[in-house]
Each structure stands twice: as C-alpha cells, then as structure tokens.
Amino acid sequence: MELRHLRYFIAVAEELNFTRAATRLHIGQPPLSMQIRDLEEEIGVRLFERGPRRVALSTAGERFLLHARRILDGVEEAVAEARRAARGELGELRVGFTSSLPFTDLLPDALNAYRRRFPQVRLQLREMFTPEQFQALVRGELDVGFVRLQAGTPPAGIVLREVARNPLRLVVNAAHRLAGAAQVHLAELAGEDFISFPADVGTDLPGVLRALCRQAGFEPRIVQTAREATTQIGLVAAGLGVAVLPAPLESVRIARVRYLALAEPEAQFRLALAIREGEPVPTLGGFLEVLESLRTGEPPLALSVPRQ
C-alpha cells in the first residue's frame, strides 16, 4: 500500500463517482478503478458498494476513510515540520557564554531577537569559562559559544570571530586614593594589592592583567583570588585590594565601590563567537543571522560560517 492508494481512495470516497474522482486526480478512470480494486484486494475487504448507477462506501470503507484521512494529515504535518526544522524554526540551540556576558547588551539582545524570530526553538544556555566552552564544542555539547579571545588558543576545528570589545575597568574602594579620578594610568598602581581570578578558572584575565602591568613597568601583587567576578567586587568593597574587570560589570552597584577608566587603549577584553568549522546546524544558522542583523541593523540575511 502506498500513499497514492490512500489519496485515490479518499477522492472516490468524497466524490462517490469514479469518473469525477479520476478528473480530480488527473488520471484516467480505468487506472483509478484498477488501483481501488488492488487496494481492496490487499486489505481483503470491499471498500465500496458498486451499483449500476451509484457508488457508496461500505461499512468497512467508512472506517477506513477515517484512518486514511488521519494518515495523510499526519504525513502533511510531518513534511511541514521537517521543512521548518530544515529552516531552523524547530529544534534546540545550545549556547555557552562567559560570566560577564549577561551584564552586556549583546547576549540579552541576541537571545531576545532570536526568541522573537524563532519562538519554537528551545534555548539551552550554559555559563562556562572559555576553555570549557572549547571542549564542549569539540564534544558536540554546544552549538555556539561566546568566549574571550585572550583565554587560550582554540582546539583544531573551532572557528573564532570577534564580535565585541569590552574596556577594562579598575575597581577600587570608595576610600581609595584614586577613587575620584576620571581615568587612571596603570603605572599609578605599582605597589597596589590586586584581587584576581585563580589561574585554574579558565579566564585569561590574570594574564591580561600581568601583561598590562609589566608594560607599565611593574609586576602586579596578587593578594587574593576569587572565582567569581562579583565576589572580587565584594572583596574590593571590603578594602582588600583593587581589581581589573570588564566594563559590563559596572552594572554591579555596591556603595563602597568605584569603577575607573584605564588610560591604556589596549586595556580591553575581546569577545568572540566560537563555533565548529563547517556547515552550521539550521538553528545555529538562524542565530548567526540574528547576530549579524543586530550588528548591521539590517534585516536578517543568510550568513555563511567563517572558516579558518
């Protein structure tokens, strides 16, 4: 039994006339009659009661019609759903991001725009340090990651594309000697106690801090580490030292903390998009289109995935 047999049967059942059904199906009447007979032989029951001047559904035919319509409706639904999945309108998108990203406009704007355009795609969001995102991408556990460019070299097969730059801010206690400054040169921080991330957390901010301080002529003295940026800000509020963090964390407002601009133009933390090399899954293709439209301000267009 093939789907065409069901379509032929439904046409005859609705027209109750083989000639009209054949015209509707754009086939000859004799072949149609033969197909219906073949169907009845395969099922082993009569689907129609045939008379000299009339055709009527048999009791078996009435029951079969209900299921035939359901089957064809199901097939049409499956086809439509498959096409929507191929267009990235259904399925799942797994997104990784670094801890400071929710404090920026980029991630909230991208997720909001993507959700509006693809409301039936399920988003799975995971906060992860950059090296963890790289490994999750390699293992196929993420579709896309928002990573820090300074946080190590990506594994083979992972493509990076810079999408934003966040200035770094000096975080000081309100009672600090520099708290009232509009801008601070790193050389002014020689001899300060610094709060930073531990080396094993997977962000290269400690490395960026060391490089900037060495460029300014001194080695930073790390007196306290904390795995969370918000914890570091709290420790600054407690007067335990100063910290250097991405500017989006300025939105963490604590009464005894001030955020100061750094004068050095290279005091930036660069954000990149990380994806697996090759053709993206449909849901990722849609996400990349949305990101591109946010960047350019233009309606979403097809966007090819960059290759190394």
Side-chain angles (χ1 to χ4, degrees), residues 222-239:
I222 309 295
V223 298
Q224 181 68 49
T225 62
R227 303 181 72 85
E228 300 293 338
T230 50
T231 303
Q232 294 182 36
I233 297 170
L235 295 176
V236 171

Side-chain angles (χ1 to χ4, degrees), residues 252-307:
V252 179
R253 310 309 295 181
I254 297 179
R256 294 188 299 277
V257 167
R258 300 290 182 269
Y259 298 91
L260 309 178
L262 290 170
E264 286 72 12
E266 62 273 21
Q268 297 185 1
F269 219 32
R270 297 156 62 202
L271 182 69
L273 206 64
I275 56 176
R276 287 185 297 275
E277 189 173 19
E279 194 67 26
V281 296
T283 51
L284 175 56
F287 189 68
L288 296 176
E289 291 173 16
V290 166
L291 282 175
E292 181 69 3
S293 71
L294 290 174
R295 186 185 68 83
T296 63
E298 297 293 329
L301 298 173
L303 181 68
S304 59
V305 178
R307 296 176 183 271

Side-chain angles (χ1 to χ4, degrees), residues 84-95 114 117-118 120-123 143-144 280-290:
R84 292 178 65 197
R87 294 193 298 266
E89 297 173 6
L90 295 173
E92 180 181 69
L93 181 67
R94 301 164 299 174
V95 182
Y114 183 75
R117 188 175 174 207
F118 301 102
Q120 292 188 288
V121 174
R122 186 166 66 89
L123 284 169
D143 299 308
V144 60
V281 296
T283 51
L284 175 56
F287 189 68
L288 296 176
E289 291 173 16
V290 166

